Amino acid sequence: MRTRVRNVACITAGALALSACERDGTGLDQRDFAGFLYTSTNNSAGNAIVALGRAGDGQLTELSGSPYASGGSGDAAEGDFDTQWALRMVGDYLLAVNAGGNPTNGTVSVFRVDRANGGLTRVDQNPATPGMDNMDSRGIRPVSIAVSAAGGATHVVVANQHSNPNFQGSPAKQFGTVQSSTLRNLAVFTFNTATGVLEFSRIGATYESGTNGGPTTVEFNPAGNRLAVSTWGVTHFMVPDPDLALQRPGRLYLYDFAGGALTQRGVYEETGVSGNIGLSWSPSGQHVYLTNFNLHSSKEANSVTVHDGGTAAKVQNFATDVRNDEACWTWVSLDQRKLYTASFGSNVVSVFDINADGRLSQSLTPNSFPRRGGLPMGDTKDMYEAPGGHLYVSGAFQSHSVSIFRRAASGALTEEPGSPYRVPSSVGRSKEEHAYLGLTGFERASN
């Protein structure tokens, strides 16, 4: 299938000094885009932010200047690891994790966003010293960012995953070991929305033993006063059924949050349910939706679990697509009526109805929609929805692409012509060089 590939470069048009974009002759002006999307390369040799312009018809174009260097290291060379919210928009700033540097601490980069043209300018996190600095994440392998403005201050929580030990195949081969470390933690920062500078506050929680893995995703409830955290566990995959003697369950933690301090109030784990990755709060904050990719056959209908938002107790569970499809990522639709999940293994997106009480149900049969383009299995990760009905799905691990879907009121997805969009700056890159983390964006400022 022919994929429309548009790339942009800037020229100066006389006294107007237009940022005209015609690297491939399209003549597009970056100021004509309806909005912008961002992901990160996660390159171990130097992480960078891929910036994409979004046209009114949903089509994508890589911007001039993309990818933007983050000044930190990614961790793609370590192999695949999972997380949600590696990038986070906070007002006029984009925050991005730099997951590499192991066995030393990772960092967080902050970029000021030009809302007219999508351009990024890195913000020095230590203006008192020469050079351009990022913020120390206070742990190994930062992977996920959550933001709360509750109580008048803006707080940022960074999840430091440390590692993701696992077993693969039969006979089982071990990759990495469970190591005790206080650098597997949640670090809490305050964020100055005027300057874009982070300031370290405290370590909010540690997962020192590593028995149930490090954090994969952090997300605040709508009120900003409760934090949900998922953990990796110890997984056993590339087998028909995980060995329960090797697999360790992941967990869902719930914390109350006030004044930058975390107080644990609930925890969930279940034998046979591991690889707990993506999570989203229900619109009311009464429930948490969690995706779990590494399931024993006795727990097959637990790809998506629904949890009480006060205790973390499981109240519902669902299957997605097929056995071992590896549901990993979540997205609550902008109209707050649908939950979408993305499956890494089978490259499908599944949809569930969000009921008035925050629980889930399924009205579509089938309720899973494949990404097209002959994509290799084990490719699909983060999602992002733009106003106007387009859902974007990252081909993060192998295809280095973004699939573009039109979303119907029923929740059904129709892939647009020209999808998936292959990111030009990642063409020819291996998954050990580029393994995208995060997908976020915003609407362009009005003229």
Side-chain angles (χ1 to χ4, degrees):
M1 178 178 297
R2 186 175 66 181
T3 301
R4 188 195 314 183
V5 176
R6 300 186 295 190
N7 215 323
V8 294
C10 297
I11 63 173
T12 299
L16 295 178
L18 294 177
S19 178
C21 310
E22 51 180 15
R23 182 177 296 171
D24 65 350
T26 64
L28 292 172
D29 189 319
Q30 287 182 199
R31 298 175 304 174
D32 290 335
F33 290 120
F36 302 91
L37 273 69
Y38 303 97
T39 187
S40 65
T41 64
N42 194 33
N43 192 334
S44 296
N47 190 25
I49 306 300
V50 174
L52 306 174
R54 180 181 66 79
D57 63 359
Q59 297 298 322
L60 299 174
T61 304
E62 188 168 12
L63 301 186
S64 173
S66 172
Y68 292 86
S70 75
S73 299
D75 206 19
E78 292 284 329
D80 184 38
F81 58 93
D82 297 322
T83 179
Q84 191 167 294
W85 292 115
L87 304 179
R88 184 77 76 163
M89 289 291 303
V90 186
D92 291 331
Y93 299 94
L94 176 70
L95 278 62
V97 299
N98 298 303
N102 299 350
T104 58
N105 290 5
T107 62
V108 177
S109 297
V110 179
F111 295 86
R112 185 182 294 275
V113 176
D114 187 325
R115 286 189 170 269
N117 62 26
L120 301 177
T121 303
R122 210 165 124 227
V123 178
D124 188 1
Q125 293 301 296
N126 191 358
T129 63
M132 179 71 68
D133 294 313
N134 290 328
M135 175 56 65
D136 185 336
S137 74
R138 267 46 180 202
I140 293 175
R141 188 189 279 171
V143 293
S144 185
I145 297 170
V147 179
S148 169
T154 299
H155 286 94
V156 172
V157 174
V158 176
N160 290 296
Q161 188 178 90
H162 187 280
S163 57
N164 60 337
N166 62 85
F167 296 88
Q168 299 179 26
S170 181
K173 183 177 180 180
Q174 186 172 4
F175 290 82
T177 59
V178 175
Q179 304 172 32
S180 176
S181 176
T182 58
L183 298 177
R184 185 186 297 107
N185 61 40
L186 304 181
V188 182
F189 301 82
T190 56
F191 184 66
N192 187 322
T193 56
T195 64
V197 174
L198 291 159
E199 183 176 349
F200 176 65
S201 174
R202 70 190 78 194
I203 297 299
T206 59
Y207 308 93
E208 185 172 354
S209 73
T211 303
N212 296 97
T216 51
T217 299
V218 287
E219 178 76 320
F220 280 104
N221 67 348
N225 60 6
R226 191 164 297 165
L227 183 74
V229 182
S230 55
T231 71
W232 170 264
V234 177
T235 57
H236 181 204
F237 52 94
M238 297 184 67
V239 288
D241 222 11
D243 184 343
L244 293 179
L246 302 175
Q247 184 198 60
R248 290 288 303 171
R251 285 182 170 178
L252 172 66
Y253 291 90
L254 294 181
Y255 298 90
D256 286 331
F257 184 78
L262 293 168
T263 304
Q264 185 176 316
R265 64 173 295 134
V267 63
Y268 155 83
E269 71 170 82
E270 185 172 352
T271 299
V273 179
S274 189
N276 308 7
I277 310 297
L279 65 84
S280 295
W281 285 87
S282 68
S284 67
Q286 292 179 297
H287 296 91
V288 177
Y289 311 130
L290 179 68
T291 47
N292 317 292
F293 89 85
N294 189 225
L295 303 171
H296 188 264
S297 58
S298 63
K299 304 292 184 178
E300 180 59 22
N302 283 267
S303 294
V304 178
T305 49
V306 181
H307 300 265
D308 184 281
T311 66
K314 186 176 77 172
V315 297
Q316 282 183 297
N317 54 279
F318 299 86
T320 54
D321 198 37
V322 297
R323 171 76 178 142
N324 290 326
D325 65 306
E326 298 187 351
C328 291
W329 286 269
T330 62
W331 181 267
V332 172
S333 63
L334 296 183
D335 64 12
Q336 301 187 338
R337 295 177 178 176
K338 307 294 177 183
L339 174 74
Y340 290 93
T341 66
S343 294
F344 176 75
S346 62
N347 291 329
V348 303
V349 179
S350 301
V351 59
F352 298 89
D353 301 317
I354 300 176
N355 302 327
D357 63 359
R359 296 194 179 207
L360 300 180
S361 60
Q362 178 184 334
S363 61
L364 295 179
T365 303
N367 71 326
S368 294
F369 301 87
R371 297 173 61 219
R372 69 181 182 214
L375 304 173
M377 295 294 99
D379 186 54
T380 300
K381 293 200 173 187
D382 295 90
M383 295 175 284
Y384 172 79
E385 183 185 358
H390 282 106
L391 182 71
Y392 296 89
V393 184
S394 173
F397 194 54
Q398 300 190 72
S399 70
H400 302 133
S401 66
V402 180
S403 294
I404 309 165
F405 290 93
R406 168 67 68 175
R407 197 178 77 82
S410 66
L413 300 176
T414 302
E415 196 160 359
E416 294 278 30
S419 175
Y421 173 77
R422 310 275 181 165
V423 177
S425 63
S426 290
V427 170
R429 296 285 194 166
S430 70
K431 62 182 181 293
E432 289 78 25
E433 294 175 294
H434 285 191
Y436 295 166
L437 290 183
L439 188 65
T440 192
F442 68 93
E443 293 304 285
R444 189 182 66 84
S446 300
N447 290 328

